[in-house]
Amino acid sequence: TQLLEQSPQFLSIQEGENLTVYCNSSSVFSSLQWYRQEPGEGPVLLVTVVTGGEVKKLKRLTFQFGDARKDSSLHITAAQPGDTGLYLCAGARNQGGKLIFGQGTELSVKP
Amino acid sequence: KAGVTQTPRYLIKTRGQQVTLSCSPISGHRSVSWYQQTPGQGLQFLFEYFSETQRNKGNFPGRFSGRQFSNSRSEMNVSTLELGDSALYLCASSLVEGNTEAFFGQGTRLTVV
């Protein structure tokens, strides 16, 4: 059973387009992290959201945590080829340091 | 400061052998977690160590084990390797126990033939 469902699984867009990635669950999380991973490398932490309804911005990336702390979204404005990679959401449920990962969204931005 | 260091980066082993992977966390970080990443299952939690004690364990067979040393460095061991153990093994370090803001190493790519 996948506790965190990410959609879409694959996304191929042109440079300059906007996109949104979703991370949904029926479970409540105490916090949620977003990571970006490039081939052959480990995931790199982008942001952590903790409070329901919280919105964080990182340059062209906007992250939102749902009011009920069950879902999150990542919006990228004016995507660039450098944004290409695997985007992973990961939730924590007050079980120590254990993170539950979504399956990931493979993003390809073409010039 | 230096990030999380995992060694070796690549490893090829034969079915039935055992393997030990190493992880050095970020300086000052005391919690180390291990994850297995495969195309089919994604990232799955193996275990978490803090103060040389296993604090949390995922749903993996007993062939997977680990330990942490007094300097916070950690090793994981997989015995009696199976083809399905082929994966990217990732180590993540956190400042304290239960801190879910994790920083990952580059991983060890294990191939079992």
Side-chain angles (χ1 to χ4, degrees), chain B residues 34-36 44-47 56-58 60 64 76 89:
Chain B
W34 289 88
Y35 292 81
Q36 181 196 64
Q44 294 190 294
F45 174 79
L46 281 156
F47 24 67
N56 217 338
K57 189 176 189 307
F60 278 81
F64 292 82
M76 70 162 279
Y89 289 88

Side-chain angles (χ1 to χ4, degrees), chain A residues 37 40-41 48 95 97 99, chain B residues 9 35 37 48 56 101 106:
Chain A
Q37 184 178 24
E41 303 292 328
T48 301
Q95 293 177 346
L99 289 172
Chain B
R9 286 292 310 274
Y35 292 81
Q37 185 175 28
E48 177 191 16
N56 217 338
E101 199 158 79
Q106 292 178 302

Side-chain angles (χ1 to χ4, degrees), chain B residues 26-48:
Chain B
I26 292 170
S27 178
H29 283 199
R30 296 174 60 197
S31 174
V32 173
S33 297
W34 289 88
Y35 292 81
Q36 181 196 64
Q37 185 175 28
T38 59
Q41 299 297 319
L43 269 128
Q44 294 190 294
F45 174 79
L46 281 156
F47 24 67
E48 177 191 16

